[in-house]
Amino acid sequence: AVDRSVAVGAGSSATSQGVALGVNAVSELRGTALGFNTQANSDAIAIGTNATAGYFYKHDQGHSLLSATGIAIGANSLARLGVSLGNGAKSDAYGVSLGNDAYVKYNGVALGNYAKVYSSGGLALGTNAIAERNEGEIGYLPNTAAQPTTEKP
């Protein structure tokens, strides 16, 4: 631990007022990394086995690629300038993913297990929901001929 930092656990390291608790936990620039193989930098928070918040070289533990914050909570979760809550949840710049294996590409929201947002500014609500159209594009249009009528006789 360096520069008013705390590192507890075999192979853990912390710099610049960071906190790293757990085996191989890494924290930089006031990041908080809690758990086995967690990584956090630039005021980011990573909690859970293999959770990563911020940007890191995957094979050069402890050396930041660039400074970016985020919140990743859950085993194998990843947040780069976003928020990810759930096992395997992942979010990139300004995205929010809530649910196991939820994913957001950029500036979108995925709520639900396995919900995915592949478009900028997309919104996926519910289990297995997918948003793949960019803002301003027309989304899913059901076959209206197959729909039951709603008129009263």
mmCIF file of all heavy atoms in Angstrom, residues 46-81:
data_model
loop_
_atom_site.group_PDB
_atom_site.id
_atom_site.type_symbol
_atom_site.label_atom_id
_atom_site.label_comp_id
_atom_site.label_asym_id
_atom_site.label_seq_id
_atom_site.Cartn_x
_atom_site.Cartn_y
_atom_site.Cartn_z
ATOM 1 N N ALA A 46 -15.499 -1.686 -6.877
ATOM 2 C CA ALA A 46 -15.656 -3.043 -7.401
ATOM 3 C C ALA A 46 -15.812 -3.996 -6.228
ATOM 4 O O ALA A 46 -14.956 -4.057 -5.356
ATOM 5 C CB ALA A 46 -14.447 -3.435 -8.243
ATOM 6 N N ILE A 47 -16.922 -4.727 -6.206
ATOM 7 C CA ILE A 47 -17.197 -5.664 -5.117
ATOM 8 C C ILE A 47 -17.634 -6.989 -5.718
ATOM 9 O O ILE A 47 -18.600 -7.032 -6.475
ATOM 10 C CB ILE A 47 -18.305 -5.135 -4.173
ATOM 11 C CG1 ILE A 47 -17.890 -3.797 -3.557
ATOM 12 C CG2 ILE A 47 -18.609 -6.157 -3.088
ATOM 13 C CD1 ILE A 47 -18.985 -3.122 -2.747
ATOM 14 N N GLY A 48 -16.914 -8.063 -5.381
ATOM 15 C CA GLY A 48 -17.267 -9.394 -5.857
ATOM 16 C C GLY A 48 -16.106 -10.046 -6.588
ATOM 17 O O GLY A 48 -15.237 -9.366 -7.127
ATOM 18 N N THR A 49 -16.088 -11.353 -6.627
ATOM 19 C CA THR A 49 -15.021 -12.084 -7.301
ATOM 20 C C THR A 49 -14.903 -11.645 -8.759
ATOM 21 O O THR A 49 -15.888 -11.616 -9.478
ATOM 22 C CB THR A 49 -15.310 -13.600 -7.233
ATOM 23 O OG1 THR A 49 -15.343 -13.990 -5.857
ATOM 24 C CG2 THR A 49 -14.228 -14.403 -7.943
ATOM 25 N N ASN A 50 -13.701 -11.266 -9.173
ATOM 26 C CA ASN A 50 -13.389 -10.835 -10.542
ATOM 27 C C ASN A 50 -14.147 -9.589 -10.989
ATOM 28 O O ASN A 50 -14.277 -9.347 -12.189
ATOM 29 C CB ASN A 50 -13.631 -11.966 -11.551
ATOM 30 C CG ASN A 50 -12.720 -13.139 -11.320
ATOM 31 O OD1 ASN A 50 -11.533 -12.970 -11.090
ATOM 32 N ND2 ASN A 50 -13.278 -14.335 -11.356
ATOM 33 N N ALA A 51 -14.643 -8.790 -10.066
ATOM 34 C CA ALA A 51 -15.321 -7.540 -10.438
ATOM 35 C C ALA A 51 -14.282 -6.499 -10.843
ATOM 36 O O ALA A 51 -13.212 -6.408 -10.255
ATOM 37 C CB ALA A 51 -16.152 -7.023 -9.270
ATOM 38 N N THR A 52 -14.603 -5.698 -11.876
ATOM 39 C CA THR A 52 -13.707 -4.648 -12.347
ATOM 40 C C THR A 52 -14.492 -3.365 -12.556
ATOM 41 O O THR A 52 -15.513 -3.364 -13.241
ATOM 42 C CB THR A 52 -13.027 -5.043 -13.678
ATOM 43 O OG1 THR A 52 -12.265 -6.226 -13.477
ATOM 44 C CG2 THR A 52 -12.116 -3.942 -14.169
ATOM 45 N N ALA A 53 -14.008 -2.280 -11.973
ATOM 46 C CA ALA A 53 -14.613 -0.969 -12.167
ATOM 47 C C ALA A 53 -13.517 -0.007 -12.613
ATOM 48 O O ALA A 53 -12.513 0.154 -11.936
ATOM 49 C CB ALA A 53 -15.259 -0.483 -10.873
ATOM 50 N N GLY A 54 -13.684 0.591 -13.781
ATOM 51 C CA GLY A 54 -12.674 1.449 -14.364
ATOM 52 C C GLY A 54 -11.986 0.725 -15.503
ATOM 53 O O GLY A 54 -12.451 -0.301 -15.977
ATOM 54 N N TYR A 55 -10.882 1.277 -15.986
ATOM 55 C CA TYR A 55 -10.141 0.669 -17.097
ATOM 56 C C TYR A 55 -8.825 0.095 -16.597
ATOM 57 O O TYR A 55 -8.106 0.756 -15.868
ATOM 58 C CB TYR A 55 -9.839 1.711 -18.172
ATOM 59 C CG TYR A 55 -11.020 2.050 -19.023
ATOM 60 C CD1 TYR A 55 -11.793 3.163 -18.745
ATOM 61 C CD2 TYR A 55 -11.362 1.258 -20.108
ATOM 62 C CE1 TYR A 55 -12.877 3.481 -19.527
ATOM 63 C CE2 TYR A 55 -12.439 1.564 -20.899
ATOM 64 C CZ TYR A 55 -13.199 2.684 -20.610
ATOM 65 O OH TYR A 55 -14.268 2.996 -21.382
ATOM 66 N N PHE A 56 -8.490 -1.123 -17.037
ATOM 67 C CA PHE A 56 -7.243 -1.775 -16.675
ATOM 68 C C PHE A 56 -6.760 -2.613 -17.846
ATOM 69 O O PHE A 56 -7.558 -3.125 -18.622
ATOM 70 C CB PHE A 56 -7.431 -2.719 -15.475
ATOM 71 C CG PHE A 56 -7.605 -2.013 -14.170
ATOM 72 C CD1 PHE A 56 -8.852 -1.617 -13.746
ATOM 73 C CD2 PHE A 56 -6.511 -1.746 -13.366
ATOM 74 C CE1 PHE A 56 -9.016 -0.972 -12.534
ATOM 75 C CE2 PHE A 56 -6.670 -1.097 -12.159
ATOM 76 C CZ PHE A 56 -7.917 -0.713 -11.755
ATOM 77 N N TYR A 57 -5.433 -2.780 -17.920
ATOM 78 C CA TYR A 57 -4.898 -3.792 -18.821
ATOM 79 C C TYR A 57 -5.250 -5.129 -18.208
ATOM 80 O O TYR A 57 -4.952 -5.388 -17.046
ATOM 81 C CB TYR A 57 -3.370 -3.688 -18.919
ATOM 82 C CG TYR A 57 -2.878 -2.511 -19.706
ATOM 83 C CD1 TYR A 57 -2.207 -1.477 -19.078
ATOM 84 C CD2 TYR A 57 -3.071 -2.448 -21.076
ATOM 85 C CE1 TYR A 57 -1.745 -0.391 -19.801
ATOM 86 C CE2 TYR A 57 -2.613 -1.371 -21.799
ATOM 87 C CZ TYR A 57 -1.948 -0.351 -21.166
ATOM 88 O OH TYR A 57 -1.500 0.715 -21.881
ATOM 89 N N LYS A 58 -5.867 -6.010 -18.925
ATOM 90 C CA LYS A 58 -6.286 -7.293 -18.369
ATOM 91 C C LYS A 58 -5.116 -8.158 -17.922
ATOM 92 O O LYS A 58 -5.212 -8.889 -16.974
ATOM 93 C CB LYS A 58 -7.116 -8.078 -19.389
ATOM 94 C CG LYS A 58 -8.538 -7.629 -19.459
ATOM 95 C CD LYS A 58 -9.237 -7.953 -18.167
ATOM 96 C CE LYS A 58 -10.710 -7.675 -18.256
ATOM 97 N NZ LYS A 58 -11.382 -7.819 -17.006
ATOM 98 N N HIS A 59 -3.970 -8.103 -18.606
ATOM 99 C CA HIS A 59 -2.872 -9.000 -18.273
ATOM 100 C C HIS A 59 -1.713 -8.291 -17.593
ATOM 101 O O HIS A 59 -0.643 -8.846 -17.466
ATOM 102 C CB HIS A 59 -2.391 -9.715 -19.541
ATOM 103 C CG HIS A 59 -3.487 -10.482 -20.205
ATOM 104 N ND1 HIS A 59 -4.068 -11.593 -19.643
ATOM 105 C CD2 HIS A 59 -4.142 -10.274 -21.366
ATOM 106 C CE1 HIS A 59 -5.017 -12.045 -20.430
ATOM 107 N NE2 HIS A 59 -5.084 -11.261 -21.487
ATOM 108 N N ASP A 60 -1.921 -7.089 -17.167
ATOM 109 C CA ASP A 60 -0.872 -6.339 -16.485
ATOM 110 C C ASP A 60 -1.488 -5.691 -15.248
ATOM 111 O O ASP A 60 -1.669 -4.495 -15.179
ATOM 112 C CB ASP A 60 -0.278 -5.276 -17.416
ATOM 113 C CG ASP A 60 1.005 -4.687 -16.850
ATOM 114 O OD1 ASP A 60 1.524 -5.228 -15.851
ATOM 115 O OD2 ASP A 60 1.480 -3.689 -17.399
ATOM 116 N N GLN A 61 -1.865 -6.521 -14.311
ATOM 117 C CA GLN A 61 -2.576 -6.086 -13.128
ATOM 118 C C GLN A 61 -1.857 -4.944 -12.418
ATOM 119 O O GLN A 61 -0.659 -4.991 -12.196
ATOM 120 C CB GLN A 61 -2.747 -7.265 -12.182
ATOM 121 C CG GLN A 61 -3.731 -7.010 -11.072
ATOM 122 C CD GLN A 61 -3.933 -8.239 -10.231
ATOM 123 O OE1 GLN A 61 -2.977 -8.807 -9.746
ATOM 124 N NE2 GLN A 61 -5.166 -8.634 -10.049
ATOM 125 N N GLY A 62 -2.591 -3.902 -12.104
ATOM 126 C CA GLY A 62 -2.034 -2.796 -11.349
ATOM 127 C C GLY A 62 -1.558 -1.637 -12.197
ATOM 128 O O GLY A 62 -1.170 -0.614 -11.666
ATOM 129 N N HIS A 63 -1.613 -1.725 -13.521
ATOM 130 C CA HIS A 63 -1.198 -0.636 -14.382
ATOM 131 C C HIS A 63 -2.394 -0.158 -15.187
ATOM 132 O O HIS A 63 -2.866 -0.838 -16.085
ATOM 133 C CB HIS A 63 -0.076 -1.079 -15.325
ATOM 134 C CG HIS A 63 1.177 -1.384 -14.583
ATOM 135 N ND1 HIS A 63 1.355 -2.547 -13.872
ATOM 136 C CD2 HIS A 63 2.307 -0.672 -14.422
ATOM 137 C CE1 HIS A 63 2.547 -2.543 -13.311
ATOM 138 N NE2 HIS A 63 3.142 -1.413 -13.636
ATOM 139 N N SER A 64 -2.884 1.030 -14.860
ATOM 140 C CA SER A 64 -4.096 1.538 -15.486
ATOM 141 C C SER A 64 -3.895 1.892 -16.945
ATOM 142 O O SER A 64 -2.863 2.411 -17.335
ATOM 143 C CB SER A 64 -4.574 2.805 -14.762
ATOM 144 O OG SER A 64 -4.973 2.497 -13.472
ATOM 145 N N LEU A 65 -4.904 1.620 -17.739
ATOM 146 C CA LEU A 65 -4.929 2.037 -19.129
ATOM 147 C C LEU A 65 -5.267 3.523 -19.187
ATOM 148 O O LEU A 65 -4.627 4.293 -19.865
ATOM 149 C CB LEU A 65 -5.974 1.213 -19.884
ATOM 150 C CG LEU A 65 -6.214 1.553 -21.339
ATOM 151 C CD1 LEU A 65 -4.924 1.397 -22.128
ATOM 152 C CD2 LEU A 65 -7.289 0.652 -21.915
ATOM 153 N N LEU A 66 -6.291 3.926 -18.484
ATOM 154 C CA LEU A 66 -6.649 5.323 -18.352
ATOM 155 C C LEU A 66 -7.553 5.449 -17.140
ATOM 156 O O LEU A 66 -8.014 4.483 -16.594
ATOM 157 C CB LEU A 66 -7.323 5.854 -19.619
ATOM 158 C CG LEU A 66 -8.563 5.139 -20.114
ATOM 159 C CD1 LEU A 66 -9.824 5.778 -19.575
ATOM 160 C CD2 LEU A 66 -8.581 5.228 -21.631
ATOM 161 N N SER A 67 -7.815 6.649 -16.748
ATOM 162 C CA SER A 67 -8.606 6.891 -15.557
ATOM 163 C C SER A 67 -10.091 6.905 -15.911
ATOM 164 O O SER A 67 -10.520 7.629 -16.794
ATOM 165 C CB SER A 67 -8.192 8.238 -14.952
ATOM 166 O OG SER A 67 -8.967 8.513 -13.831
ATOM 167 N N ALA A 68 -10.867 6.086 -15.232
ATOM 168 C CA ALA A 68 -12.312 6.038 -15.448
ATOM 169 C C ALA A 68 -12.965 5.460 -14.209
ATOM 170 O O ALA A 68 -12.446 4.536 -13.607
ATOM 171 C CB ALA A 68 -12.648 5.182 -16.659
ATOM 172 N N THR A 69 -14.083 6.000 -13.830
ATOM 173 C CA THR A 69 -14.772 5.527 -12.649
ATOM 174 C C THR A 69 -15.870 4.544 -13.027
ATOM 175 O O THR A 69 -16.106 4.285 -14.204
ATOM 176 C CB THR A 69 -15.338 6.724 -11.851
ATOM 177 O OG1 THR A 69 -15.763 6.257 -10.573
ATOM 178 C CG2 THR A 69 -16.474 7.398 -12.582
ATOM 179 N N GLY A 70 -16.544 4.005 -12.051
ATOM 180 C CA GLY A 70 -17.645 3.082 -12.276
ATOM 181 C C GLY A 70 -17.975 2.347 -11.000
ATOM 182 O O GLY A 70 -17.224 2.410 -10.019
ATOM 183 N N ILE A 71 -19.095 1.647 -11.009
ATOM 184 C CA ILE A 71 -19.498 0.828 -9.872
ATOM 185 C C ILE A 71 -19.869 -0.550 -10.403
ATOM 186 O O ILE A 71 -20.780 -0.673 -11.222
ATOM 187 C CB ILE A 71 -20.686 1.437 -9.118
ATOM 188 C CG1 ILE A 71 -20.321 2.809 -8.553
ATOM 189 C CG2 ILE A 71 -21.153 0.501 -8.004
ATOM 190 C CD1 ILE A 71 -21.490 3.560 -7.954
ATOM 191 N N ALA A 72 -19.133 -1.564 -9.965
ATOM 192 C CA ALA A 72 -19.393 -2.951 -10.363
ATOM 193 C C ALA A 72 -19.586 -3.785 -9.107
ATOM 194 O O ALA A 72 -18.677 -3.915 -8.303
ATOM 195 C CB ALA A 72 -18.232 -3.492 -11.182
ATOM 196 N N ILE A 73 -20.794 -4.331 -8.941
ATOM 197 C CA ILE A 73 -21.087 -5.148 -7.771
ATOM 198 C C ILE A 73 -21.658 -6.475 -8.246
ATOM 199 O O ILE A 73 -22.715 -6.510 -8.884
ATOM 200 C CB ILE A 73 -22.069 -4.447 -6.813
ATOM 201 C CG1 ILE A 73 -21.461 -3.137 -6.314
ATOM 202 C CG2 ILE A 73 -22.420 -5.362 -5.648
ATOM 203 C CD1 ILE A 73 -22.379 -2.312 -5.442
ATOM 204 N N GLY A 74 -20.935 -7.551 -7.966
ATOM 205 C CA GLY A 74 -21.345 -8.892 -8.366
ATOM 206 C C GLY A 74 -20.173 -9.635 -8.963
ATOM 207 O O GLY A 74 -19.263 -9.031 -9.531
ATOM 208 N N ALA A 75 -20.180 -10.940 -8.839
ATOM 209 C CA ALA A 75 -19.100 -11.757 -9.399
ATOM 210 C C ALA A 75 -19.015 -11.545 -10.905
ATOM 211 O O ALA A 75 -20.029 -11.503 -11.591
ATOM 212 C CB ALA A 75 -19.345 -13.231 -9.090
ATOM 213 N N ASN A 76 -17.809 -11.341 -11.407
ATOM 214 C CA ASN A 76 -17.536 -11.150 -12.833
ATOM 215 C C ASN A 76 -18.231 -9.931 -13.434
ATOM 216 O O ASN A 76 -18.463 -9.874 -14.639
ATOM 217 C CB ASN A 76 -17.906 -12.407 -13.635
ATOM 218 C CG ASN A 76 -17.153 -13.613 -13.142
ATOM 219 O OD1 ASN A 76 -15.934 -13.602 -13.060
ATOM 220 N ND2 ASN A 76 -17.876 -14.653 -12.769
ATOM 221 N N SER A 77 -18.574 -8.959 -12.621
ATOM 222 C CA SER A 77 -19.200 -7.738 -13.137
ATOM 223 C C SER A 77 -18.133 -6.768 -13.636
ATOM 224 O O SER A 77 -16.976 -6.821 -13.224
ATOM 225 C CB SER A 77 -20.067 -7.076 -12.061
ATOM 226 O OG SER A 77 -19.289 -6.753 -10.929
ATOM 227 N N LEU A 78 -18.523 -5.881 -14.555
ATOM 228 C CA LEU A 78 -17.607 -4.932 -15.165
ATOM 229 C C LEU A 78 -18.323 -3.605 -15.388
ATOM 230 O O LEU A 78 -19.426 -3.580 -15.933
ATOM 231 C CB LEU A 78 -17.117 -5.473 -16.515
ATOM 232 C CG LEU A 78 -16.302 -4.530 -17.395
ATOM 233 C CD1 LEU A 78 -14.965 -4.206 -16.752
ATOM 234 C CD2 LEU A 78 -16.105 -5.144 -18.768
ATOM 235 N N ALA A 79 -17.690 -2.515 -14.959
ATOM 236 C CA ALA A 79 -18.258 -1.182 -15.181
ATOM 237 C C ALA A 79 -17.157 -0.234 -15.619
ATOM 238 O O ALA A 79 -16.173 -0.055 -14.916
ATOM 239 C CB ALA A 79 -18.918 -0.666 -13.905
ATOM 240 N N ARG A 80 -17.312 0.332 -16.798
ATOM 241 C CA ARG A 80 -16.382 1.350 -17.313
ATOM 242 C C ARG A 80 -17.175 2.623 -17.508
ATOM 243 O O ARG A 80 -17.920 2.747 -18.478
ATOM 244 C CB ARG A 80 -15.786 0.901 -18.641
ATOM 245 C CG ARG A 80 -14.903 -0.307 -18.516
ATOM 246 C CD ARG A 80 -14.315 -0.657 -19.865
ATOM 247 N NE ARG A 80 -13.511 -1.849 -19.753
ATOM 248 C CZ ARG A 80 -13.559 -2.839 -20.626
ATOM 249 N NH1 ARG A 80 -14.341 -2.779 -21.676
ATOM 250 N NH2 ARG A 80 -12.800 -3.895 -20.459
ATOM 251 N N LEU A 81 -17.067 3.542 -16.574
ATOM 252 C CA LEU A 81 -17.848 4.782 -16.573
ATOM 253 C C LEU A 81 -19.340 4.502 -16.465
ATOM 254 O O LEU A 81 -20.156 5.289 -16.911
ATOM 255 C CB LEU A 81 -17.573 5.612 -17.831
ATOM 256 C CG LEU A 81 -16.250 6.343 -17.864
ATOM 257 C CD1 LEU A 81 -16.026 6.963 -19.233
ATOM 258 C CD2 LEU A 81 -16.185 7.415 -16.797
#
